[in-house]
Amino acid sequence: MKRYVNYLDGIEAPEGLTARLTNLKSERRIRPAYLYRTAGIAAALALAVGLGVLWRHAPADPVADHDGSEHYTPDIGIIVTDDPLLGDPHSDRREGYEILDGEHATYYTLPRLNIADASGLSDTAMDYTLCPLDGYERDLVENDLVSLFGTDRYREHLGIPEDAEISGAVYFTPEGTASGLGLYWTEGDMFRVRYEVLRGYDVPSCPVMISPDDDYGVTEVDGVRVTTLAFENETEVKLFVDGFGYKATIYGEGRDELAARFVRLVLASRAGLDGIE
Amino acid sequence: MSQNSNRLEELIKEHQNALYRAALSVTGNPQDAEDAVQDGYLKYLERRPRVPDGRSARAWLMRVTLNAALDRLRDKKRHPTEELLDVHPAPDPGTGELLEAIGELPPAERAAVHLFYYEGYQTGEIAKILGRRPGTVRSDLSRARERLREKLKGEIEL
């Protein structure tokens, strides 16, 4: 990277910038356009919630499992009730998460997650990685995701755009049983999600081991304990279901919504690695 | 002149080039880089952080400046229209290829690469600056190196 260093060493801040900085007056700060937009979205969302503005929805078709059986039916739309944890699926009161640029979307029932703020933490936070395994790995293929989530509409339910590139790996035991999966996708340059699924959770340094000492936000959803932690630029959500540990690390805007989508999809599909070979 | 004005001028003199280069590396656009640097110093004036020494001040300013730079990219949702190399041409083809390859990295990885290779920060410090965990930063750096090697096909030493 010596070329990179030499190149940048030859660049000086423009003279005009020094004058701009020297004349700065904090009380005359001009808010950039994106703050207005963000504030507008937040205000619109708050207003929608306050007025009980609700979206109608159309129920989705039943989804066939990889073995051909119907195992869950996603309900497209978000249910809002006074219950802070989970909406009543029979309620007519609905709201939706608002996505960027004024677009609205309706999703199936999403839990409201209690997310602990960890932006003040730094290098004291735990460092996770997929467990080292005495097995082998291969690249993730689309059928793995269909098997994992039980639907070929996983993009829709996870909020992954059709043109987003998905990559990842599946980890196997020496006997050939899928033991873990890492899923990674990007949206443009800015948005990234990393999902990790691991069979069992009694492995040392497991990526989804939840330390009782950590000050996580905890939400009980469908009887499952979901823990969440928000760093300044990323949100981490973890849960255990049926002997599998799930962890999602989400970066960029809309993180909380995607965390809720992830939890709902895992719980709705009872996603596991058994269908992955 | 007030003490605060003196302090601001010292910080401008000491760090504006480093901040501008970092913002330029992330945004690839001189105007956006200038705006991000200005945002950084404005936040300093607004928040008056307790930064006991020059290195701490630089890290604090680097953090808010890079956040401002990343916000500008997020607002545009695409690469800047004005290319870095148009304004600051590379001295040789190899440097140009390297810069183009770095420019194709996701912004957060560009930021991590710049802080690691140019500023010389350790991953723990980069994590603090970028508001991420050290493991995430190490993962970003590893992935960035892999992408650069693949892109440059080993023709340029990293």
Side-chain angles (χ1 to χ4, degrees):
Chain A
M1 296 294 277
K2 192 176 178 183
R3 290 171 188 267
Y4 178 73
V5 172
N6 289 341
Y7 172 79
L8 285 180
D9 277 345
I11 295 177
E12 301 284 334
E15 290 182 7
L17 177 60
T18 307
R20 283 171 66 184
L21 298 178
T22 306
N23 292 324
L24 285 177
K25 301 292 181 186
S26 60
E27 65 274 17
R28 288 186 59 78
R29 177 165 197 190
I30 298 172
R31 301 181 75 197
Y34 69 86
L35 286 182
Y36 284 117
R37 194 184 66 183
T38 304
I41 290 172
L45 189 56
L47 182 64
V49 172
L51 295 176
V53 176
L54 309 169
W55 280 267
R56 285 286 174 185
H57 75 289
D61 295 333
V63 177
D65 201 348
H66 54 276
D67 62 3
S69 62
E70 291 180 5
H71 72 134
Y72 82 101
T73 303
D75 184 18
I76 306 300
I78 297 173
I79 313 302
V80 179
T81 73
D82 293 331
D83 181 344
L85 301 183
L86 188 64
D88 176 357
H90 304 297
S91 170
D92 285 328
R93 300 175 58 203
R94 304 176 194 286
E95 67 168 311
Y97 280 91
E98 185 163 0
I99 59 178
L100 295 178
D101 299 330
E103 295 178 74
H104 292 175
T106 56
Y107 311 125
Y108 57 98
T109 309
L110 296 185
R112 293 180 178 178
L113 301 177
N114 298 313
I115 299 177
D117 178 14
S119 55
L121 294 180
S122 55
D123 51 354
T124 58
M126 291 185 70
D127 184 13
Y128 296 95
T129 185
L130 275 170
C131 303
L133 299 164
D134 296 328
Y136 59 96
E137 66 178 80
R138 65 160 170 78
D139 290 343
L140 185 82
V141 296
E142 183 172 17
N143 277 346
D144 295 328
L145 297 176
V146 175
S147 297
L148 180 68
F149 293 117
T151 172
D152 57 5
R153 294 166 58 190
Y154 58 85
R155 281 179 181 265
E156 175 186 341
H157 298 312
L158 284 172
I160 305 177
E162 287 300 320
D163 59 350
E165 182 181 351
I166 299 177
S167 60
V170 185
Y171 304 90
F172 294 89
T173 65
E175 293 74 33
T177 303
S179 56
L181 175 147
L183 162 65
Y184 170 84
W185 61 268
T186 60
E187 180 179 341
D189 284 337
M190 295 307 301
F191 205 78
R192 301 192 303 165
V193 177
R194 183 172 13 230
Y195 292 158
E196 295 167 20
V197 182
L198 193 78
R199 185 187 298 273
Y201 48 88
D202 55 350
V203 182
S205 73
C206 170
V208 287
M209 182 83 78
I210 297 174
S211 165
D213 298 329
D214 289 339
D215 189 19
Y216 286 89
V218 179
T219 309
E220 190 174 308
V221 184
D222 289 357
V224 173
R225 185 173 183 262
V226 177
T227 63
T228 55
L229 202 57
F231 293 84
E232 187 163 327
N233 290 313
E234 65 187 72
T235 294
E236 179 186 273
V237 54
K238 293 188 267 190
L239 65 158
F240 299 117
V241 185
D242 298 340
F244 290 94
Y246 301 85
K247 173 188 167 193
T249 309
I250 306 168
Y251 311 84
E253 296 180 52
R255 290 176 288 158
D256 296 351
E257 177 213 315
L258 275 186
R261 281 173 179 246
F262 176 70
V263 170
R264 172 50 64 211
L265 184 58
V266 167
L267 291 176
S269 64
R270 295 298 188 194
L273 297 168
D274 289 336
I276 296 176
E277 298 177 346
Chain B
M1 187 176 287
S2 71
Q3 191 175 9
N4 285 335
S5 295
N6 279 330
R7 176 65 173 151
L8 176 64
E9 290 199 0
E10 285 173 13
L11 290 173
I12 294 170
K13 185 178 178 183
E14 289 175 18
H15 306 303
Q16 69 163 344
N17 278 330
L19 299 174
Y20 178 72
R21 288 165 187 155
L24 192 61
S25 181
V26 168
T27 65
N29 180 289
Q31 188 57 56
D32 281 345
E34 285 191 46
D35 290 345
V37 173
Q38 176 171 307
D39 277 356
Y41 280 103
L42 270 171
K43 282 191 176 170
Y44 175 84
L45 285 172
E46 289 176 348
R47 299 182 186 179
R48 310 264 180 209
R50 291 184 178 182
V51 279
D53 54 45
R55 185 171 175 83
S56 300
R58 188 184 184 108
W60 193 94
L61 284 164
M62 191 67 76
R63 177 190 179 102
V64 293
T65 299
L66 285 177
N67 278 337
L70 291 168
D71 279 344
R72 285 178 187 284
L73 285 179
R74 188 173 296 124
D75 196 37
K76 290 185 173 182
K77 291 182 179 295
R78 56 173 57 92
H79 284 297
T81 53
E82 189 177 11
E83 297 296 333
L84 169 65
L85 292 172
D86 289 342
V87 180
H88 300 289
D92 57 76
T95 301
E97 288 175 27
L98 175 61
L99 290 166
E100 285 180 4
I102 291 173
E104 290 176 7
L105 296 173
E109 288 181 18
R110 289 206 294 274
V113 163
H114 179 86
L115 294 173
F116 186 81
Y117 286 106
Y118 188 78
E119 288 290 330
Y121 285 112
Q122 300 299 306
T123 52
E125 296 172 302
I126 296 172
K128 289 178 182 176
I129 289 172
L130 296 179
R132 296 189 168 181
R133 291 175 299 159
T136 304
V137 170
R138 284 195 288 275
S139 172
D140 278 347
L141 285 172
S142 174
R143 191 178 301 109
R145 277 194 289 264
E146 188 179 332
R147 289 181 181 179
L148 291 175
R149 283 196 192 96
E150 186 177 337
K151 182 80 179 172
L152 300 170
K153 301 186 189 316
E155 294 174 5
I156 297 173
E157 187 181 349
L158 297 178

